[in-house]
Amino acid sequence: MEAPLTVQIVEFNTKVMQEELKKLGLKVNHHEANITFLKSEIYAIEESIADLTIKRGKKVVASSNGTSVQEAEQRTIESICNQDKTAASLICQLKKRHSTQISTMPMMKDILGVVATLGKTNDDNLSSLLSEYLGIDNMLGLVCKTYDGIKSLETYGTEGNIDKKSGIHGLGGSIGKILHGRFTVFCLENIRPFSGEVVIDDPQRYLMLRKPRLPNGESPPGFLGFAVNMILMDQAYLSCLTPHGHGLRETLFYSLFSHLQVYKTTADLRRAIPFINDGAVSLDGGILRPNGSFCLGDSFKLWGFKHTWKYH
């Protein structure tokens, strides 16, 4: 027996409404997916410029005669040269005073320079903090392009003793300079590079790092950026790439700083601890190392590198 007409009409309208609701549900899901995608795109764009604030906000300003940056760099080299009996001092002296004689030496051609001479920052506090964070051994470290360059620096006798008449030791002896103690050397081609994206349309090749985010999507208060992106490199070093096309920021500086975060104050840094994985520093002197240890007490400023990394 057929249902009354009114019941059929109600059932028909119900089915139509259900179909419409299904369509609306699909549209809502589609729009939500679009919103999620757009949010991810927004975050990606934000990350690409996240830690360029200091770079954009402050610029290296030379004096009216255009020599302030060069003078600062020369002071850096002079200060390194005064670190007697170190490999860094020897290399700087050779490049400064015997550049013609050593220009064709394979060993010297492979040495890019000393860590302290390869980057700049625009902020005195940040300069001192980053130098203190790295320590003098790293700041005075030599940077070689290849492992062959590393091997040429030092050779050994049959019993494993250092041959003082060859390599960098023999070179030092030839100008009356004797090396004392150990020294750090970085090999660019052996450093595991940053595996993420870089800002390819910027000659500085800043790393696209994901900012720390609070549950509301904002960065922790006082977060300024990542230390690795606050180093400015001279034009001469921007073209220095490994055989795989990685630059100094992706190799040397990333190996030194990783995701080290920079905050305005120690209070900001401590509030952000849950969002810090690879250490942090604050412009008022706070240092939190990647192993979770804090550096307390008065800061002992070994260096300063406002324009270039230089000793105080």
Side-chain angles (χ1 to χ4, degrees):
M1 184 175 180
E2 293 186 3
L5 181 60
T6 53
V7 174
Q8 294 181 26
I9 292 174
V10 170
E11 290 178 346
F12 175 78
N13 288 338
T14 300
K15 289 181 179 179
V16 171
M17 291 178 65
Q18 288 176 341
E19 291 297 324
E20 290 298 320
L21 285 173
K22 286 181 180 179
K23 291 179 181 179
L24 285 173
L26 291 174
K27 287 183 178 179
V28 169
N29 289 337
H30 177 70
H31 289 310
E32 286 180 343
N34 281 341
I35 290 172
T36 301
F37 172 74
L38 290 173
K39 282 184 176 180
S40 67
E41 289 293 295
I42 290 172
Y43 286 166
I45 293 172
E46 288 180 347
E47 304 308 340
S48 71
I49 61 173
D51 46 335
L52 305 185
T53 305
I54 286 187
K55 181 232 177 182
R56 301 303 183 193
K58 295 183 178 181
K59 296 182 179 179
V60 177
V61 180
S63 62
S64 58
N65 60 11
T67 62
S68 61
V69 173
Q70 292 82 354
E71 289 175 352
E73 292 174 347
Q74 288 304 313
R75 286 196 298 270
T76 300
I77 294 173
E78 287 295 335
S79 296
I80 295 174
C81 288
N82 291 334
Q83 301 298 305
D84 198 26
K85 298 183 179 180
T86 65
S89 172
L90 173 60
I91 294 302
C92 285
Q93 289 187 48
L94 287 170
K95 288 190 173 185
K96 180 179 179 182
R97 299 163 188 169
H98 307 277
S99 58
T100 303
Q101 297 93 313
I102 66 172
S103 60
T104 58
M105 296 178 60
M107 180 181 71
M108 293 301 298
K109 291 172 69 174
D110 196 82
I111 298 175
L112 186 62
V114 178
V115 171
T117 66
L118 301 181
K120 311 170 184 178
T121 71
N122 298 329
D123 184 276
D124 284 332
N125 289 334
L126 182 61
S127 301
S128 297
L129 279 165
L130 295 185
S131 58
E132 182 180 0
Y133 176 84
L134 291 183
I136 193 167
D137 288 341
N138 284 327
M139 290 293 281
L140 288 179
L142 303 184
V143 180
C144 286
K145 300 174 186 177
T146 68
Y147 182 60
D148 285 338
I150 297 278
K151 292 190 294 184
S152 68
L153 288 175
E154 201 168 76
T155 58
Y156 307 91
T158 56
E159 297 182 0
N161 54 303
I162 299 173
D163 183 355
K164 299 291 187 176
K165 295 182 179 180
S166 67
I168 192 171
H169 299 277
L171 193 59
S174 68
I175 61 171
K177 300 292 182 180
I178 299 175
L179 298 186
H180 178 72
R182 291 185 177 272
F183 56 96
T184 299
V185 186
F186 296 93
C187 177
L188 292 182
E189 72 173 8
N190 281 6
I191 294 176
R192 177 181 294 181
F194 173 64
S195 60
E197 299 295 322
V198 302
V199 183
I200 57 176
D201 60 348
D202 191 305
Q204 287 285 331
R205 294 174 66 89
Y206 292 99
L207 310 186
M208 294 175 66
L209 301 174
R210 184 170 293 277
K211 291 191 298 183
R213 289 191 180 280
L214 302 173
N216 63 8
E218 297 180 357
S219 294
F223 175 74
L224 297 176
F226 294 96
V228 68
N229 280 343
M230 294 180 179
I231 303 299
L232 302 178
M233 289 182 292
D234 189 87
Q235 184 67 34
Y237 302 120
L238 294 177
S239 60
C240 178
L241 302 176
T242 68
H244 297 290
H246 300 295
L248 280 179
R249 194 180 307 278
E250 299 137 86
T251 53
L252 175 68
F253 291 121
Y254 183 69
S255 73
L256 290 171
F257 295 115
S258 186
H259 290 70
L260 183 73
Q261 299 177 21
V262 180
Y263 287 85
K264 288 183 180 178
T265 68
T266 300
D268 291 332
L269 185 158
R270 293 189 175 186
R271 283 192 292 265
I273 286 177
F275 308 96
I276 299 172
N277 296 319
D278 291 315
V281 298
S282 61
L283 297 184
D284 60 358
I287 295 180
L288 169 62
R289 296 196 176 276
N291 63 5
S293 63
F294 289 87
C295 294
L296 304 180
D298 293 328
S299 174
F300 179 62
K301 298 180 180 180
L302 294 174
W303 307 70
F305 38 103
K306 178 182 184 178
H307 301 318
T308 188
W309 302 30
K310 60 181 181 296
Y311 291 92
H312 258 303

